[in-house]
Structure formats: structure tokens, C-alpha cells
Amino acid sequence: MRTYIVEDDAELRGALVNLLRLKGYHVEASGRGREAQEVLLLNDFDLAIVDLGLPDIDGLALIRTLLRH
């Protein structure tokens, strides 16, 4: 399962990536919402875990944009 994590807290992001990889997931991650938006719009992922309080874009706005495409 391809998973993308959007989390600006580097320690939490790293912990999530490591845990999911140990469970056999293919994981990519970003700490920036706009970067994640570009990646998620251009690639197919099965799951996106999105922090709602990102510094550069609201997490809900990111989710809404992804759902429209």
C-alpha cells in the first residue's frame, strides 16, 4: 500500500514513516502542504495522512483540493 504522510513535526513524521515501513507499507512524506499537494496530484497513493495544522496551507484545504481532482 502506497502511503503519503503530510506532517510538519519532523520527529512525529519520522516516527510514522518508520512504523508504517516496519509494517510493510511503501511510505513517502513531506513537512510542507504545498509540496505534498504537488506530489499527491501527480502520483497515485492509496492513503494520505494529513496534519490539519500545516504552516503553509490548511490541511482541510489540501484534502478538499485533492478530492476535487
Side-chain angles (χ1 to χ4, degrees):
M1 178 179 276
R2 290 190 70 204
T3 304
Y4 199 90
I5 298 172
V6 189
E7 171 57 60
D8 61 318
D9 181 312
E11 187 173 331
L12 177 56
R13 184 175 64 245
L16 289 169
V17 167
N18 290 335
L19 177 64
L20 290 171
R21 285 183 178 159
L22 284 173
K23 296 294 183 180
Y25 291 85
H26 170 82
V27 183
E28 294 181 41
S30 174
R32 307 295 296 178
R34 297 210 187 278
E35 175 186 339
Q37 181 175 306
E38 289 179 27
V39 172
L40 290 165
L41 288 174
L42 294 174
N43 299 279
D44 291 326
F45 287 88
D46 300 299
L47 173 69
I49 300 171
V50 180
D51 179 6
L52 299 181
L54 296 167
D56 62 336
I57 184 173
D58 177 68
L60 284 177
L62 171 59
I63 292 167
R64 287 185 189 108
T65 298
L66 296 171
L67 288 173
R68 284 194 298 265
H69 289 86

